[in-house]
Amino acid sequence: SFELRSYDGSAIAYAKIYINGSAQGVERSNPNATYSTFTESFTFSTNDLIQIYSKSPSGLCPPYVKNLRVLGTLTPNGINQDP
């Protein structure tokens, strides 16, 4: 999950998750100057690069992104998890 807001509510802020440089999921938007939280589920592997790209149509009103949280379950590769 991550939180996104616009600079002052005068321009929409956009953000999207990327894994290893490839866009994943849905581009999120928020026109408000208060943070909104967005959550998505992805599959990724050890050493994957998790990024968040943000943009605003106005160069004078940058988007704000905070609290990128990655939660998950780690499983060792090549080990049978069956009891």
Side-chain angles (χ1 to χ4, degrees), residues 3-77:
E3 296 177 58
L4 172 68
R5 76 171 178 90
S6 72
Y7 175 72
D8 62 2
S10 64
I12 300 172
Y14 297 91
K16 188 170 183 130
I17 300 290
Y18 283 67
I19 299 176
N20 298 322
S22 295
Q24 304 291 317
V26 177
E27 182 175 68
R28 304 300 185 152
S29 63
N30 183 3
N32 302 310
T34 56
Y35 283 101
S36 292
T37 301
F38 299 98
T39 302
E40 293 187 71
S41 296
F42 302 104
T43 300
F44 51 92
S45 301
T46 302
N47 297 321
D48 278 353
L49 178 64
I50 301 169
Q51 305 160 288
I52 186 162
Y53 291 13
S54 62
K55 66 181 181 181
S56 175
S58 169
L60 301 175
C61 299
Y64 287 85
V65 178
K66 70 177 186 177
N67 295 329
L68 175 61
R69 293 182 179 98
V70 179
L71 306 172
T73 303
L74 300 175
T75 56
N77 291 332

